[in-house]
Amino acid sequence: FIVQFYLYSKITMSGYGQDGGFSGPLKPMTFSIFEGEEKSNQIIFQFKSDAPNVKFQLSGETDDTFYIHPDGILYYSGILDREKKAVHKLQVKVLDAGGRRIEGPVPITIEIKDINDNRPIFLQKNYNGSVRQGSRPGSNIGVFYAYDMDQNGTLNSFLQYKIVDQSPLFPSNDLFLIQPVDGIIQLAKTSLRKQDTPQYHLKVQVSDRAFTTICDVTINVIDINDQIPIFEKNDYGNLTIDENIAVGTTILTIQATDADEPFTGSSKILYTFTNEDFDGKLVIDTDPITNAGYVKINKPLDFEKMPVYNLIIKAENPEPLVQNVRYNESSYAKFILMVSDVNEAPVFSQALYQAQISENAEINTKLITINATDPEGEAISYSLSGDTRGWLRIDGVTGEIFTMRSLDRETEKYYQVKVIATEKGGSHLTSSVYFHLALLDVNDNPPRLVKDYTGLFFCYPLSKPGSLIIEATDDDQQPAWGPRFDFSLGNTKLQNDWEISKINGSHAKVSIKHTNFEEKVYEVSVKINDGGKPPLENTVSFPGKLYLSHIYILEEDELSDQNHAMNIF
């Protein structure tokens, strides 16, 4: 009773019950509270329970603002801000004296009601707009948008716009208007001329029921494109250049002028060819400062395809002309470009020639036909350079390449030569291109041991059988998954004393089957089959000598599985 009385003395007694009451049983409830005013221990509601000796407990989105007294009084302290958080979800439950839950938890919703406590804000402090000279009244200039953080769709966030100042006032005041709700600025009275005033400054006000904000707006009057470009001369004569002139070379400078406002889309000049499609061989660049045009070589010229260019050049603006203004003959100029013939080297039909063939191909097998032509129509002869192994020959007239000797992939897998085309005319100009030949593998190399397994000794007398790890290889191209060699003894006579077991595709183990050997040199042979197409087999042998010496016995699990021979005593 003392604690409860003290709390009541610190809390302003005012209830917010949705049923109109100050207190009631624990059940889901919603409370609405206005934001803005700072409160100290403001009572919202008191929950009651029929059970004796209980206490209430609060959880959820309390945000160190909402609290509940053990006797069930729900209250808050501080300032509520709807713009930070509009709804708080809480839960209340009832605990007995031992801390066990006997009721709840039930949801409690706190809705924060909006007040007009936020000033309208423009997205920018300064806005820029533009209007063309000669525009009619009512022309839109721009939209100037502000926002208010108060609750959307209420009077607290309803905004109105107004122009409060214009500078200069020439030729009159109120030249512009703004839609009070939409924020659209329009030309109000008369057409403007850039020559009179190129720029206006406005102050635009936005307001809600309580606050006002002002921003600056600059409106530029833009020149209209009512002047056409005019060439300084309409005929630039003719010019003769060699067909091998370098790409990027400037061959002519042209000039037109425009009386519109400088450095705008109305006065900038673009030059184009209007009469023919030249496959992009010529291009015109414009100097952005002087509007001079530079006719340049964009792709190599070809006398044989086009010896003369009759050019019609148009000067125009990127900005559209105003109504009733048209380009005329003053915006056009002509120019004749003549291309002179230059003796050019032969040209191959490809930048690179390639072929592939099996390494066992017969001599005089045709590989490919190389083709080159001379731009002037001269006959071509062909030759080879870099044929270091003498494997190839070329027909000097037809360009056909043949094999001239036996090929060997194991000697050189990829073979490259240079083909030279020579013009048969007086200049003997040449061109060259590479020919790449890939050799395909054929199974033409028998398997063999990776090394010479010599110096093999077994101590006499033998106390237990011994063995030897051998490794095979093959000079032919191996499968991606590795070699697949098969191993067997070289003859049947060896089977009584020796045996061989395959470890993997490249390794096998040769073992002694017993210990009853004489002291002498034994010749052991092994057959290795590569399983190719066709399969190749090779018989290899190595000596095993029984030698009486200090006896040292290696256990079977001490035998190395590495790829080298071992001396076993």
Side-chain angles (χ1 to χ4, degrees), residues 146-363:
Y147 67 96
D148 193 311
M149 292 181 63
D150 290 315
Q151 187 170 359
N152 190 32
T154 67
L155 291 177
N156 293 336
S157 61
F158 178 74
L159 304 180
Q160 289 188 302
Y161 300 87
K162 180 182 179 181
I163 297 175
V164 296
D165 185 61
Q166 169 194 315
S167 175
L169 298 177
F170 181 84
S172 68
N173 62 351
D174 298 331
L175 289 175
F176 306 94
L177 63 86
I178 189 168
Q179 299 292 338
V181 176
D182 297 329
I184 301 173
I185 291 185
Q186 297 173 308
L187 186 62
K189 287 186 176 181
T190 184
S191 298
L192 304 178
R193 297 203 317 161
K194 184 178 179 66
Q195 295 90 333
D196 296 336
T197 305
Q199 191 175 79
Y200 290 88
H201 299 279
L202 308 178
K203 290 190 179 298
V204 175
Q205 171 185 292
V206 61
S207 58
D208 60 17
R209 294 191 303 173
F211 300 101
T212 295
T213 303
I214 292 178
C215 77
D216 295 318
V217 177
T218 299
I219 298 178
N220 297 293
V221 181
I222 299 176
D223 182 33
I224 59 174
N225 191 13
D226 57 357
Q227 302 293 319
I228 63 172
I230 298 175
F231 272 103
E232 61 179 2
K233 57 182 179 180
N234 297 109
D235 189 346
Y236 282 89
N238 56 70
L239 175 68
T240 301
I241 59 175
D242 291 338
E243 64 176 329
N244 64 350
I245 189 171
V247 171
T249 301
T250 298
I251 60 173
L252 177 69
T253 300
I254 57 179
Q255 183 71 64
T257 57
D258 192 301
D260 287 309
E261 181 185 357
F263 309 113
T264 66
S266 300
S267 62
K268 182 179 179 179
I269 298 177
L270 301 177
Y271 299 96
T272 57
F273 300 113
T274 64
N275 57 328
E276 290 186 48
D277 180 10
F278 303 120
D279 191 28
K281 291 186 179 298
L282 302 176
V283 68
I284 308 177
D285 292 338
T286 302
D287 186 311
I289 305 300
T290 65
N291 271 336
Y294 303 100
V295 181
K296 297 182 178 181
I297 305 299
N298 191 49
K299 294 181 180 179
L301 303 179
D302 191 339
F303 169 83
E304 287 72 26
K305 291 184 178 180
M306 185 171 287
V308 178
Y309 293 81
N310 290 296
L311 306 175
I312 303 296
I313 303 172
K314 180 183 180 182
E316 56 186 340
N317 305 126
E319 188 77 19
L321 295 172
V322 298
Q323 191 175 7
N324 300 324
V325 176
R326 300 286 184 272
Y327 294 105
N328 57 39
E329 64 274 6
S330 299
S331 300
Y332 292 85
K334 63 180 182 178
F335 170 61
I336 298 175
L337 176 63
M338 294 177 288
V339 181
S340 60
D341 188 27
V342 174
N343 189 20
E344 299 166 281
V347 178
F348 287 95
S349 60
Q350 297 177 206
L352 175 68
Y353 293 86
Q354 301 180 84
Q356 61 181 17
I357 193 171
S358 295
E359 61 176 324
N360 64 345
E362 296 182 357
I363 295 175

Side-chain angles (χ1 to χ4, degrees), residues 260-553:
D260 287 309
E261 181 185 357
F263 309 113
T264 66
S266 300
S267 62
K268 182 179 179 179
I269 298 177
L270 301 177
Y271 299 96
T272 57
F273 300 113
T274 64
N275 57 328
E276 290 186 48
D277 180 10
F278 303 120
D279 191 28
K281 291 186 179 298
L282 302 176
V283 68
I284 308 177
D285 292 338
T286 302
D287 186 311
I289 305 300
T290 65
N291 271 336
Y294 303 100
V295 181
K296 297 182 178 181
I297 305 299
N298 191 49
K299 294 181 180 179
L301 303 179
D302 191 339
F303 169 83
E304 287 72 26
K305 291 184 178 180
M306 185 171 287
V308 178
Y309 293 81
N310 290 296
L311 306 175
I312 303 296
I313 303 172
K314 180 183 180 182
E316 56 186 340
N317 305 126
E319 188 77 19
L321 295 172
V322 298
Q323 191 175 7
N324 300 324
V325 176
R326 300 286 184 272
Y327 294 105
N328 57 39
E329 64 274 6
S330 299
S331 300
Y332 292 85
K334 63 180 182 178
F335 170 61
I336 298 175
L337 176 63
M338 294 177 288
V339 181
S340 60
D341 188 27
V342 174
N343 189 20
E344 299 166 281
V347 178
F348 287 95
S349 60
Q350 297 177 206
L352 175 68
Y353 293 86
Q354 301 180 84
Q356 61 181 17
I357 193 171
S358 295
E359 61 176 324
N360 64 345
E362 296 182 357
I363 295 175
N364 287 326
T365 298
K366 180 180 175 180
L367 300 173
I368 197 170
T369 299
I370 307 296
N371 179 261
T373 57
D374 182 70
E376 288 73 41
E378 297 287 346
I380 300 294
S381 65
Y382 300 93
S383 60
L384 295 179
S385 174
D387 185 12
T388 56
R389 299 193 179 276
W391 284 353
L392 308 175
R393 69 176 179 86
I394 189 168
D395 188 307
V397 176
T398 64
E400 297 172 300
I401 296 180
F402 301 87
T403 60
M404 192 168 72
R405 293 182 182 175
S406 296
L407 308 176
D408 185 7
R409 190 202 70 87
E410 286 69 42
T411 300
E412 197 152 356
K413 182 177 180 180
Y414 299 104
Y415 195 58
Q416 175 180 279
V417 297
K418 184 182 290 186
V419 180
I420 299 173
T422 303
E423 182 185 272
K424 286 187 175 181
S427 62
H428 298 290
L429 294 178
T430 64
S431 296
S432 64
V433 69
Y434 280 104
F435 168 55
H436 291 175
L437 178 62
L439 300 182
L440 304 178
D441 187 47
V442 173
N443 193 27
D444 57 352
N445 290 276
R448 57 182 174 82
L449 293 176
V450 296
K451 61 186 291 185
D452 187 10
Y453 290 89
T454 61
L456 173 62
F457 297 95
F458 293 94
C459 293
Y460 179 83
L462 295 175
S463 61
K464 64 182 296 183
S467 62
L468 169 68
I469 306 297
I470 62 173
E471 180 183 0
T473 187
D474 191 328
D475 292 328
D476 291 314
Q477 184 175 0
Q478 297 299 323
W481 51 87
R484 289 293 184 268
F485 296 114
D486 291 321
F487 303 87
S488 62
L489 292 174
N491 58 69
T492 57
K493 295 179 180 180
L494 297 171
Q495 294 178 359
N496 294 329
D497 302 324
W498 305 81
E499 65 180 353
I500 187 166
S501 57
K502 185 175 179 178
I503 297 175
N504 54 37
S506 59
H507 293 74
K509 180 166 69 173
V510 181
S511 304
I512 297 173
K513 298 177 71 173
H514 57 81
T515 60
N516 298 324
F517 284 88
E518 298 178 9
E519 183 182 5
K520 68 176 184 178
V521 175
Y522 291 84
E523 197 74 25
V524 181
S525 60
V526 175
K527 290 181 181 179
I528 308 174
N529 189 298
D530 64 8
K533 295 182 180 179
L536 294 181
E537 188 174 81
N538 189 21
T539 301
V540 298
S541 63
F542 45 88
K545 184 177 181 180
L546 298 179
Y547 181 72
L548 185 60
S549 180
H550 297 288
I551 297 177
Y552 173 70
I553 298 175

